[in-house]
Every structure is written in C-alpha cells, then in structure tokens.
Amino acid sequence: MKISAQEEFGLRCLLQLARASAAGESLTLAQIAEREGISVANAGKLMWILNKAGLVRSQRGIKGGYYLARPASEIHLNQVIRVLDGERVDSHCKSYAGVLDACVHTGDCGIRPVIVELHQIVDNALSDITLSQLLDTEANVDAALHQIHITKQRSEQRA
Amino acid sequence: MKISAQEEFGLRCLLQLARASAAGESLTLAQIAEREGISVANAGKLMWILNKAGLVRSQRGIKGGYYLARPASEIHLNQVIRVLDGERVDSHCKSYAGVLDACVHTGDCGIRPVIVELHQIVDNALSDITLSQLLDTEANVDAALHQIHITKQRSEQRA
DNA sequence: GCTAAACCTTACTTTAAAGTCAACTTTCAA
DNA sequence: TTGAAAGTTGACTTTAAAGTAAGGTTTAGC
Ligand code: FES
Ligand code: FES
C-alpha cells in the first residue's frame, strides 16, 4: 500500500500551479521542473497526463505555460490521485490472478470486500481535501485535516 | 495508491492457513502454492517473510508444514500488510526527493501531512479486521466490514 | 510570413520490484 | 543410520513502472 512516484510528483506540481494561480500567473515546464527538482521531460509527461484529464490547461506559444483549469478550492485530491494512478482503481483482482483463476472467477472471496472497502475509505478521505487547503503551513494543514476528519464523522453520524 | 502483489498474495496464503488451522492441520508449501495458483518458490518466499515476522510457524521434516503462530482471530490485517510491505511505511518523502531536496529538508510541506494522515486512516481501518473475519462468504464479510465501520465511528464519537 | 519560445507526442532507456531457480540444511520415520 | 520430505537462503531472470530523449506542432511577436 504505497503512493507511486507519479502520484507524489504530480500532486506536487499541481500545488506549484495552485500557488502561481493565486497570483494570476502561469508556469512553464521549465519553471515547474526547477521548483520541484525533476527533469523538464518528466514534468512535461506529468503535465500531459493532468492536461488530458482536464485538471490543468495549457497555453502554447512564446508566452505560454500551464495553469489550473479550475480554482484550487474546487480540485479535490481524490480526482488528482485517480488521474495520476492511471485509472487502475478497479483492477485489483484481475491483475493478481496467479496461475489459477479460482479467486477471480469464484464468486465467493473474502479478500475482495477488503480491497474494495479500503479504496472507498481512501477515496472518501481524499475527497474532503482540496488543493487550496494544502497551500498553508504544515502545522496548519495538519490541524485542518484533523478538523475535517472529525467534522466528517459527525455528519455521517447524523445521516 | 495500490496494493502490491506481495501484499495480495501474502494475505491470500495466510487465509489458506487460517482455514487449515480451523481443522487443526498444517499446510506444506506445495499445498499453499497449488491452492493459490502461484509457484512453490514464490510461496516459499512469502512464507519466509511471514515466518520471520512471527505471523506463521513452520515444522520441518517429513510431516512438516506451516501453520498460524496465533489464532486467526488475533491476527489483524494491519500487521499483515505492514510485514508484507517491507516496513517501508515511513519512507515516503525520503524516496521521492527528486534532485532538489527542498521538499524533504524544508520543515514546511503541505503534502506530508496528507501522506501521514492517509496512512493512519488505512492502518486504522485495517486494524479492525482480523483474519478470522475473512473466512466467511463474500456477502457476509462485506456486511461485517460495514458494521465495523459504523461501530468504530460511534466509539470514536464517544471518546 | 518568418522565427523563436513553448507545449505535444511517441519511442527508447533505465531501474527497481517481482518472481524464479538451484543448492543447502534441517527434520522425521523407517 | 540413512534417505526422502520439507524448509532456508541467496543469486539470477523476468517484467513493469519510471524517467529520458528527440522530433513535431502550435502560438505570440516582430
Ligand atoms: S477475488 Fe480477488 S482476491 Fe479474491
Ligand atoms: S516533505 Fe515529502 S512531500 Fe513534502
């Protein structure tokens, strides 16, 4: 259970764009790459993925660059992760079938619900966090996340 | 955010042992491998990891085999995952540093709390599930997991 | 319209994880 | 005591993800 490099760096780059967009600016690939310490080529690949998914927009030409497609407060982390993950969210059992296919095709499996539930929990937790919330200091972000967690539980309790 | 093959197959093999132990039996490598559709060598590797971590015990010799070190009801999934994950739980930012080390060494980072919180949420969710709970039918397991989720929220609410 | 800056796209190379193989050691039972 | 079953270990091979490179396409400005 870990976060891939694409998810990690993609999210970081998005945060850079979020910061820039607060000042109404756009960032070129070279700027993004320099600020995150990755190669220009790699930044280009990440931006291509994010652009294709509609999370960022690009302006070509001599005064071009990248900027967020929507305000940072309207971009939720679960969308970001899903995009950077290559949409492989629902392919667990298909890929880890081994030689036998007993586990895949036999309807009754005790592990599948665990996997499904786990992804729901993660997705649910991430859906409450927006890019704009991550622009604060680490201490404040941490406090905000805990606050969200508690609030969430209360609202679910009422439901 | 995905589950590695080691985690998936390791958990499956543990479930096989849990089933066998209910009948007071132990399983050989060949039996485990056949039941999960993986190679004997791979099963051996997984069992070695689980044995080293103290989750299973092995009996050598002609009547040997593997069995759970503890009752299935006392083995929680978060322990299993942590073992199979190679204890890499707290190495996120160290590995994804890129060329610059700004993100790693600069105290203030908005992403780190997200990663930490996420892992806590996952670990927390898994800690409520035991191996014995996964031996039921898929429908029952699914129902049980939802039940746990709700119960958990209530108890946290009181705290 | 030219030109240079900047993004777009595909293909290739590198690298780390997963899986396999083969030789070794231990144990039990005849 | 001896041999076969079974686990242990480390090295090797395979494979998929990550990263890189190069050429193509679009746009702003002159
Ligand atoms: S159906 Fe996929 S692990 Fe059982
Ligand atoms: S410190 Fe690791 S992502 Fe910022």
Side-chain angles (χ1 to χ4, degrees):
Chain A
M1 207 70 200
K2 76 169 204 184
I3 290 185
S4 73
Q6 266 200 50
E7 295 169 276
E8 169 92 19
F9 284 122
L11 181 54
R12 288 195 202 173
C13 292
L14 267 186
L15 271 185
Q16 292 291 353
L17 289 185
R19 277 199 198 90
S21 81
E25 297 171 354
S26 65
L27 293 180
T28 73
L29 276 185
Q31 288 174 312
I32 295 172
E34 192 218 354
R35 295 187 188 193
E36 280 305 329
I38 60 181
S39 71
V40 174
N42 199 8
K45 184 185 184 181
L46 291 170
M47 282 300 116
W48 176 70
I49 294 173
L50 293 170
N51 188 7
K52 196 177 55 170
L55 288 175
V56 306
R57 300 281 176 193
S58 64
Q59 175 65 39
R60 300 179 110 162
I62 193 169
K63 286 280 186 180
Y66 288 94
Y67 55 94
L68 294 183
R70 285 172 280 156
S73 59
E74 293 179 14
I75 298 181
H76 296 257
L77 291 201
N78 61 332
Q79 306 167 327
V80 176
I81 294 299
R82 192 173 301 149
V83 164
L84 293 167
D85 217 5
E87 311 284 353
R88 63 191 167 193
V89 181
D90 39 26
S91 62
H92 324 281
C93 301
K94 295 165 200 157
S95 35
Y96 298 142
V99 176
L100 280 180
D101 47 13
C103 187
V104 180
H105 297 307
T106 306
D108 237 11
C109 167
I111 296 183
R112 188 163 35 197
V114 178
I115 312 268
V116 172
E117 181 95 356
L118 203 55
H119 271 95
Q120 278 182 0
I121 289 173
V122 170
D123 196 80
N124 198 21
L126 287 176
S127 70
D128 293 325
I129 311 174
T130 66
L131 272 191
S132 59
Q133 291 174 309
L134 301 185
L135 294 177
D136 209 332
T137 65
E138 179 163 358
N140 286 348
V141 170
D142 202 36
L145 290 190
H146 283 98
Q147 187 57 44
I148 288 173
H149 198 205
I150 292 170
T151 307
K152 179 98 186 178
Q153 283 184 354
R154 292 222 174 99
S155 67
E156 279 177 355
Q157 192 68 19
R158 281 197 303 269
Chain B
M1 207 71 202
K2 76 170 205 183
I3 289 186
S4 74
Q6 265 201 48
E7 293 169 279
E8 169 92 19
F9 284 122
L11 181 54
R12 288 195 203 173
C13 293
L14 267 185
L15 270 186
Q16 292 290 353
L17 289 184
R19 276 198 199 89
S21 81
E25 297 171 354
S26 65
L27 292 180
T28 75
L29 275 186
Q31 289 174 312
I32 295 173
E34 192 219 353
R35 295 186 189 194
E36 280 305 330
I38 60 180
S39 72
V40 174
N42 200 8
K45 183 187 184 180
L46 291 170
M47 282 300 117
W48 177 72
I49 293 173
L50 293 170
N51 188 6
K52 195 178 56 170
L55 287 175
V56 307
R57 301 280 177 193
S58 65
Q59 175 65 38
R60 301 180 108 162
I62 195 169
K63 285 281 186 181
Y66 289 93
Y67 55 95
L68 293 183
R70 284 173 282 157
S73 59
E74 294 178 14
I75 297 181
H76 296 259
L77 290 200
N78 61 332
Q79 305 167 328
V80 176
I81 294 299
R82 192 173 300 149
V83 165
L84 293 167
D85 215 7
E87 311 286 354
R88 63 188 167 193
V89 182
D90 38 27
S91 61
H92 324 282
C93 302
K94 294 164 200 156
S95 36
Y96 298 142
V99 175
L100 281 181
D101 47 14
C103 188
V104 180
H105 297 305
T106 305
D108 236 13
C109 168
I111 296 183
R112 189 161 39 197
V114 178
I115 312 270
V116 172
E117 181 95 356
L118 203 54
H119 271 96
Q120 278 181 0
I121 289 173
V122 170
D123 196 79
N124 198 21
L126 287 176
S127 70
D128 294 326
I129 312 174
T130 67
L131 272 191
S132 59
Q133 291 175 309
L134 301 185
L135 295 177
D136 209 332
T137 64
E138 179 163 358
N140 287 346
V141 170
D142 203 35
L145 290 190
H146 281 98
Q147 187 57 44
I148 288 173
H149 199 203
I150 291 170
T151 307
K152 178 97 188 176
Q153 283 185 353
R154 292 219 175 101
S155 68
E156 278 179 354
Q157 193 67 22
R158 283 197 301 271

